[in-house]
Amino acid sequence: MNTVTVVGVGPGPLASLTKEAESELLGASKIFFRTGAHPVCEWLKRQGKHVACFDKLYETAWTQPGEIYDFMVSTILKEAELNGRATYAVPGSPVFLEDTTRLLRVRGKQTGTDVRVVHGLSFLEEALFQLNVDFADGLQVVLPWTHLETHRFTSKLNLLVCQFEAKRLPTDDPRVDLTRNWLRKEYPAEHAVTLIWTDGMPEYSTCTREFPLSDLAEECQKEKFFASLFVPALKRN
């Protein structure tokens, strides 16, 4: 049976790569990366590994949001068909906000391809560490178009908004203003929110900044890597 192995390479620093993931990557003859802007990708290149990245696809004018992921999945499954196996690396965790993993598992069943997952740390662990969240207050993890626009959330619980740039297609301009406006329907302008992001290559360290919700668009004029927004629950009297 053909095999695809999806490897989570963690939220950034090489130290976050698990031993199992490291062993899998070093043992592979070729590695596909969803994005090459990751320290593990650069590290593998220095080890002399054959690495292929999908970065250019994010500059392509796709007509539907899911087309880019369908293309990636088709490429990886074709590699497995031709060579018996394929190794595919994704930032963070393969099972958290990673559509390609889900699609690979669905289409793997259809094509008789075994899809293995080597788990990695997601960005969520680092974000929760930075925020020092009390889980007694609960936590919702949401997306702008999927949950905020349709109001599928509650202000009674803490909110972590992922991919808050609200881009439908990779080539779209960020619409952080939409995320702000949808949140403003429920939260006051002065409600304090916290932005969490990584500073990019080479350090990939985590940064945070707190500011009023009304300032969100201005704070995000410069695009940030793997950013999310923490919105604390409204205090009820």
Side-chain angles (χ1 to χ4, degrees):
M1 178 181 287
N2 299 332
T3 301
V4 171
T5 303
V6 187
V7 183
V9 296
L14 193 58
S16 298
L17 185 67
T18 68
K19 286 294 184 183
E20 183 183 9
E22 178 181 342
S23 176
E24 188 69 38
L25 294 170
L26 291 177
S29 57
K30 181 179 180 180
I31 305 145
F32 289 88
F33 264 80
R34 184 166 63 76
T35 175
H38 195 284
V40 171
C41 183
E42 293 301 314
W43 172 71
L44 286 170
K45 289 178 181 178
R46 294 195 298 271
Q47 308 306 308
K49 303 302 293 184
H50 182 187
V51 176
C53 301
F54 288 123
D55 295 278
K56 287 294 183 181
L57 298 183
Y58 289 93
E59 302 172 11
T60 303
W62 305 96
T63 57
Q64 298 295 327
E67 286 181 339
I68 183 173
Y69 303 121
D70 284 331
F71 185 92
M72 292 179 188
V73 167
S74 295
T75 301
I76 294 162
L77 289 173
K78 188 64 176 180
E79 175 77 10
E81 178 187 338
L82 293 174
N83 298 299
R85 60 172 295 180
T87 302
Y88 173 53
V90 298
S93 164
V95 295
F96 190 75
L97 290 177
E98 188 55 62
D99 282 344
T100 52
T101 303
R102 179 180 56 80
L103 289 172
L104 278 167
R105 296 179 71 183
V106 170
R107 291 178 57 182
K109 287 184 178 179
Q110 297 170 350
T111 59
T113 304
D114 181 35
V115 178
R116 296 178 54 243
V117 170
V118 177
H119 294 286
L121 286 174
S122 73
F123 79 94
L124 190 58
E125 287 87 356
E126 178 64 22
L128 295 179
F129 168 73
Q130 296 289 337
L131 295 165
N132 198 25
V133 172
D134 182 356
F135 269 91
D137 295 329
L139 180 68
Q140 306 160 92
V141 181
V142 301
L143 298 169
W145 291 101
T146 308
H147 304 104
L148 298 186
E149 184 193 26
T150 56
H151 209 273
R152 293 167 59 191
F153 68 95
T154 174
S155 60
K156 296 178 182 178
L157 300 175
N158 294 329
L159 199 66
L160 189 66
V161 186
C162 305
Q163 301 171 12
F164 66 85
E165 298 90 348
K167 294 164 56 171
R168 284 194 181 276
L169 296 170
T171 51
D172 286 349
D173 292 328
R175 291 301 309 272
V176 180
D177 58 311
L178 291 178
T179 297
R180 177 200 59 201
N181 294 344
W182 291 327
L183 289 169
R184 280 286 290 111
K185 292 179 180 180
E186 188 69 25
Y187 302 90
E190 66 275 11
H191 191 64
V193 298
T194 301
L195 185 64
I196 310 152
W197 75 98
T198 59
D199 60 1
M201 299 287 284
E203 287 83 8
Y204 245 71
S205 57
T206 302
C207 308
T208 62
R209 183 181 299 147
E210 184 178 294
F211 49 82
L213 174 59
S214 58
D215 294 348
L216 177 60
E218 291 72 18
E219 290 284 346
C220 298
Q221 288 181 353
K222 183 178 179 181
E223 192 169 2
K224 294 175 169 59
F225 296 94
F226 298 105
S228 55
L229 182 73
F230 178 70
V231 185
L234 283 177
K235 301 298 182 184
R236 309 288 177 175
N237 296 326

